Amino acid sequence: MRLSVIGCGYLGAVHAAAMASIGHEVVGIDVDERKVASLSKGEAPFFEPGLQEILTEGIASGRLSFTTDMSAAQGAKVHFIGVGTPQQPGGYAADLTYVHAAVDGLLPYLSEGDIVAGKSTVPVGTAESLAPRVSDRGATLVWNPEFLREGWAVQDTIDPDRLVAGVPSTDGGPTEEGARTAGVLREVYHPSIAKGTPFIVTDYATAELVKVSANAFLATKISFINAMAEIAEVTGADVTTLADAIGHDARIGRRFLGAGIGFGGGCLPKDIRAFSARAEELGRGESVAFLREIDAINLRRRDRAVDLTVQALGGSVFEKKVTVLGAAFKPHSDDIRDSPALDVAVRLHGLGADVTLTDPAAIENARRIHPQLTYVEDRDEALRDADAVIVVTEWDEYRRDLDPAHAAALTAGHIVVDGRNCLDAAAWRAAGWTYYGMGRP
Ligand code: UGA
């Protein structure tokens, strides 16, 4: 099928390449000339495992192209909207400028019967308000939220847990037009549906809410375990053992019970805030008032990591050499948007520490925003002569591959703060380190 994808960021670029990889003919459209030039050469403009391969393959096959020219969308049957919905400056609500611009820019190129499929994360009610503009052109709007995780984006796009389509509906279910558009989306995603991926057809509001409530739930799960870490800290309990134990209950599950410096990135933090803002607008602020607490717990964990480092260094980090392992908001990503890791590094620098930071993928992005820190590519070089080491992104390079005895031979002091509870505490202690975890004795 011929498809267009408007917006070629983390979501759109992966979606375009993944759709080409399952056999569709895809044009990706973005206003950013640099991004389009890089994608057109088959070069991924950001770090995402597996993206490079499917980009190269798609371009070589002739099925995948990129342009800044919106008219290239003409002739596609389904137009995906994958632009960003960042937090508004000075507020909690989502900024929908790019969604409106994408839809308005696309309108002149729509043909009768086309489908516009919104993938961006939007406040509930957005699709309802955009739909008339699309139907005036004889096309249909559907909301088809995306659940990909950075670092696993290619796999999550080709083989998602579930597919959700919000289509024009009445109280009795999808309208005839809604049912037809759901059928077209089924064709788009045929390879994954054929493998058994659930395909849920619903109305606009439910589809929009599925997305924000999924992220709100994940954020809540992380902050729940971090709240337990706070209690563990005053009682001498170990939150990692606690998480293992409660995680054995299938109703709870161990995933996303990783206590540490908390969640960040371009999605969870801004999505829970936008959800709160939207609920307030709807007069239902109290229903999700707990999300404010989830946010507050999350941010407190960054303070905790900084405090632990200060305490470990005898009450001050001033002029102490601190090596920070990690900058990305999570491993397998170069994304530093609202990264707790980078935030902790910047705060330690602000307290007068001589911070050296390393990361396998995110140094360039971090340097652009925070040129005041010292960046070193080589992990061992970064560790040399450090008074303390703090792990803030659980890359395999630190979690699995860094031998504590080897690290001890490089550093001046032997204090390690494990901001992700990802190190083997016993092994580090045995190698002579004073180990500090998050919510661990
Ligand atoms: C998140 C959701 O997981 C995706 O399903 C969703 O599609 C995406 O947002 C989105 O809305 O686009 P992502 O932001 O890529 O995906 O990252 P996650 O894997 O959810 O991690 C988010 C943050 O939580 C990271 O900073 C991570 O380090 C932290 N985290 C995760 C924890 O602190 N503890 C955990 O146990 C798990």
Side-chain angles (χ1 to χ4, degrees):
M1 199 181 294
R2 278 183 71 180
L3 311 174
S4 79
V5 179
I6 322 298
C8 296
Y10 284 98
L11 161 56
V14 174
H15 193 68
M19 290 301 104
S21 84
I22 60 170
H24 298 299
E25 193 182 313
V26 189
V27 59
I29 305 174
D30 199 289
V31 290
D32 184 337
E33 286 181 15
R34 257 191 39 222
K35 205 180 279 174
V36 165
S38 144
L39 287 164
S40 299
K41 282 188 277 174
E43 288 165 12
F46 47 84
F47 178 88
E48 184 61 50
L51 176 59
Q52 191 62 54
E53 290 79 353
I54 57 169
L55 263 182
T56 315
E57 201 182 280
I59 287 170
S61 72
R63 284 197 308 274
L64 177 63
S65 62
F66 294 92
T67 175
T68 54
D69 180 6
M70 191 66 105
S71 72
Q74 199 151 23
K77 189 167 176 145
V78 182
H79 309 269
F80 290 98
I81 307 286
V83 295
T85 52
Q87 188 176 333
Q88 270 179 13
Y92 265 16
D95 178 355
L96 295 180
T97 314
Y98 305 114
V99 171
H100 287 286
V103 172
D104 289 338
L106 181 62
L107 291 178
Y109 306 107
L110 291 178
S111 309
E112 190 79 26
D114 281 6
I115 292 170
V116 177
K119 295 202 79 63
S120 308
T121 302
V122 293
V124 56
T126 304
E128 188 76 53
S129 74
L130 289 171
R133 269 139 78 182
V134 174
S135 49
D136 280 353
R137 302 284 312 170
T140 307
L141 181 70
V142 301
W143 216 263
N144 173 219
E146 180 55 60
F147 304 101
L148 65 78
R149 298 159 299 166
E150 284 177 33
W152 305 94
V154 172
Q155 184 191 320
D156 285 352
T157 306
I158 295 175
D159 251 327
D161 290 338
R162 75 295 206 186
L163 290 155
V164 175
V167 302
S169 304
T170 62
D171 287 346
T175 61
E176 210 174 295
E177 186 193 8
R180 179 190 70 83
T181 51
V184 177
L185 275 192
R186 258 182 226 281
E187 276 179 58
V188 171
Y189 295 119
H190 173 72
S192 113
I193 294 173
K195 279 193 259 170
T197 302
F199 182 75
I200 295 150
V201 179
T202 183
D203 52 79
Y204 288 153
T206 307
E208 291 163 327
L209 272 175
V210 167
K211 170 69 197 193
V212 289
S213 60
N215 277 1
F217 191 89
L218 294 172
T220 302
K221 205 169 174 191
I222 298 167
S223 276
F224 175 84
I225 201 65
N226 278 328
M228 296 308 107
E230 291 186 335
I231 304 296
E233 274 153 15
V234 292
T235 53
D238 186 333
V239 76
T240 58
T241 308
L242 181 152
D244 291 343
I246 63 171
H248 283 301
D249 183 333
R251 293 169 303 173
I252 296 173
R254 181 62 173 87
R255 292 174 75 189
F256 270 66
L257 286 183
I261 57 170
F263 59 81
C267 303
L268 299 192
K270 67 120 175 132
D271 287 353
I272 59 168
R273 291 174 193 156
F275 196 8
S276 297
R278 183 64 182 137
E280 296 276 351
E281 281 171 14
L282 294 166
R284 280 284 173 201
E286 73 272 26
S287 303
V288 292
F290 67 92
L291 290 178
R292 302 279 169 142
E293 206 52 53
I294 296 308
D295 205 354
I297 295 166
N298 190 52
L299 295 175
R300 281 205 297 271
R301 301 315 286 161
R302 303 178 185 189
D303 302 339
R304 170 69 185 169
V306 172
D307 290 348
L308 259 184
T309 314
V310 171
Q311 280 172 29
L313 282 165
S316 168
V317 291
F318 190 72
E319 290 185 338
K320 294 281 168 58
K321 276 180 73 74
V322 178
T323 296
V324 178
L325 298 180
F329 85 107
K330 66 171 191 179
H332 313 292
S333 171
D334 64 355
D335 196 348
I336 53 150
R337 287 177 296 170
D338 203 350
S339 167
L342 195 51
D343 192 18
V344 167
V346 168
R347 290 198 211 181
L348 288 168
H349 176 267
L351 292 172
D354 175 2
V355 172
T356 298
L357 193 152
T358 188
D359 186 284
I363 288 185
E364 282 321 307
N365 286 342
R367 198 200 308 269
R368 209 171 308 126
I369 313 285
H370 294 294
Q372 73 275 31
L373 305 179
T374 303
Y375 295 94
V376 173
E377 295 269 348
D378 184 76
R379 184 198 66 192
D380 286 1
E381 234 9 84
L383 286 168
R384 202 171 292 283
D385 300 331
D387 294 309
V389 177
I390 174 163
V391 183
V392 280
T393 313
E394 68 278 32
W395 285 99
D396 288 344
E397 284 82 342
Y398 315 139
R399 183 183 65 80
R400 188 194 62 196
D401 305 341
L402 180 56
D403 173 41
H406 171 74
L410 294 168
T411 57
H414 297 112
I415 290 164
V416 62
V417 178
D418 184 1
R420 292 293 184 179
N421 289 341
C422 62
L423 304 179
D424 179 345
W428 280 73
R429 287 193 174 114
W433 291 83
T434 307
Y435 172 94
Y436 296 86
M438 302 286 290
R440 309 181 78 180

